[in-house]
Amino acid sequence: MTSEKAVRHILGISGGKDSAALAIYLKEKGINPNIEYFFLDTGVELPEVYTFIDKMEAYLDAEIIKLGSENSFEDHLKMQVKMFQHENFLPSPIARWCTKVMKIQPLEKFMGNDNVVSYIGIRADEKRIGYVAKQGSNVTPVYPFKEDGIVRDDVFRILRETVGIPEYYKWRSRSGCYFCFFQRRDEWIGLHEHHPGLFKQAMAFEKIDPETGKKYTWVEGETLKELLARKDEILAKKPEHNPNISWQEAIIEDIDNDEYDDQACMICSL
Ligand code: SF4
């Protein structure tokens, strides 16, 4: 007699607001208590993300499995440089190897060939589709927020009433690696203010070719040193903060204006 393999139910918690709110929402509703929670850990996430993941683990009273690459970011960078014979090969929106090797590959290994139902925190007020599994794979995505009409305000309410809003939202609009190239210039300034050591580490990855003068930078066209020198100019362009609203409300407004929303990967910051 052949025994059919049980369907696995998984939910990725990125450290961002939507996936966290989804995990809480499903738990409160008592939907699929056997969900396997996972966190794709690049090893270079913001410290606030790790704190938030611990908080979520305590609230859910369940393990959040940490999945990651066997190699560090530095090792991957060296491999990319060698493979493509570049002077430097920092990931960027058009050379997005970081997501592939540090998140998608570990996730695919975790799912294997199992039949998987994957819960995705895309809201009813979003158009994005999220991570799409390979054709013919056994992954079925489900979108409870879309089905139940849950929108951004609901997500913030769910978090406020439970684990709170992740601390990094005070200065950055999404989770992910501390050096993520999707962050805005004012967020780089935020990184410098909140984590000067990490800003310095990000600077150390940049290079200028001494012969050609070509810059290999996180932000197109300028090094982080140059960006920091323009701090006042960059911050002057930030929308004015309204002192009558809390930082959480200010952030909700800020996310509304997020120019990178369509580019940033759901797998990284959902
Ligand atoms: S958060 Fe940014 S740097 Fe990190 S894997 Fe995702 S896209 Fe790459």
Side-chain angles (χ1 to χ4, degrees):
M1 202 173 94
T2 53
S3 66
E4 236 179 73
K5 242 180 156 185
V7 174
R8 290 171 63 194
H9 293 254
I10 65 168
L11 196 163
I13 296 178
S14 68
K17 66 187 189 315
D18 296 314
S19 57
L22 179 63
I24 294 166
Y25 180 76
L26 296 180
K27 182 183 165 74
E28 304 283 300
K29 288 193 137 212
I31 294 172
N32 292 321
N34 295 327
I35 286 179
E36 296 170 59
Y37 303 107
F38 67 90
F39 166 56
L40 293 165
D41 185 2
T42 57
V44 282
E45 307 286 322
L46 289 169
E48 293 94 328
V49 169
Y50 292 112
T51 306
F52 188 64
I53 294 292
D54 289 346
K55 227 172 168 182
M56 282 297 296
E57 212 161 35
Y59 186 85
L60 295 170
D61 192 21
E63 185 191 2
I64 299 175
I65 303 162
K66 318 288 182 301
L67 304 175
S69 166
E70 282 157 17
N71 299 302
S72 66
F73 172 75
E74 283 89 339
D75 290 338
H76 280 297
L77 182 58
K78 278 183 204 148
M79 285 188 254
Q80 296 288 326
V81 167
K82 202 169 164 195
M83 205 166 8
F84 294 98
Q85 301 186 342
H86 273 260
E87 271 300 305
N88 200 356
F89 199 4
L90 295 179
S92 69
I94 51 162
R96 184 101 172 258
W97 55 263
C98 49
T99 309
K100 186 177 166 206
V101 300
M102 299 198 298
K103 296 200 170 186
I104 293 176
Q105 287 173 357
L107 173 60
E108 290 181 341
K109 193 172 166 196
F110 174 65
M111 295 189 295
N113 295 321
D114 295 343
N115 286 319
V116 168
V117 173
S118 173
Y119 294 83
I120 307 199
I122 296 180
R123 308 181 312 262
D125 55 346
E126 289 184 290
K127 290 194 194 87
R128 296 181 281 182
I129 53 166
Y131 164 69
V132 180
K134 280 182 198 148
Q135 224 182 356
S137 88
N138 300 328
V139 182
T140 308
V142 289
Y143 304 94
F145 281 171
K146 273 194 176 299
E147 286 160 18
D148 296 352
I150 301 292
V151 295
R152 189 199 57 201
D153 286 353
D154 299 316
V155 159
F156 278 98
R157 181 184 42 75
I158 292 169
L159 293 180
R160 269 196 216 103
E161 290 172 357
T162 54
V163 292
I165 294 165
E167 280 288 307
Y168 62 81
Y169 275 127
K170 284 180 182 170
W171 57 275
R172 189 164 132 162
S173 55
R174 46 187 73 254
S175 60
C177 306
Y178 69 83
F179 49 59
C180 185
F181 42 83
F182 279 125
Q183 66 193 305
R184 299 184 310 241
R185 284 175 168 81
D186 62 271
E187 292 176 332
W188 278 107
I189 304 287
L191 179 69
H192 180 257
E193 278 170 12
H194 292 267
H195 302 291
L198 293 181
F199 187 89
K200 216 170 151 191
Q201 281 181 39
M203 279 174 85
F205 286 118
E206 296 188 320
K207 252 188 176 182
I208 300 179
D209 188 314
E211 281 170 25
T212 63
K214 185 171 166 39
K215 290 176 183 173
Y216 299 92
T217 55
W218 292 108
V219 180
E220 205 184 338
E222 66 181 343
T223 63
L224 291 181
K225 194 176 169 193
E226 289 163 340
L227 181 147
L228 196 57
R230 296 197 305 112
K231 178 178 170 179
D232 293 345
E233 186 194 326
I234 290 166
L235 293 183
K237 283 187 190 153
K238 255 195 104 178
E240 242 180 73
H241 176 61
N242 178 350
N244 297 320
I245 60 174
S246 68
W247 66 262
Q248 288 101 332
E249 287 165 319
I251 274 142
I252 294 170
E253 284 185 356
D254 202 30
I255 288 170
D256 260 351
N257 298 327
D258 188 356
E259 63 190 284
Y260 295 112
D261 233 21
D262 290 336
Q263 296 179 55
C265 178
M266 301 307 288
I267 209 165
C268 290
S269 53
L270 187 69

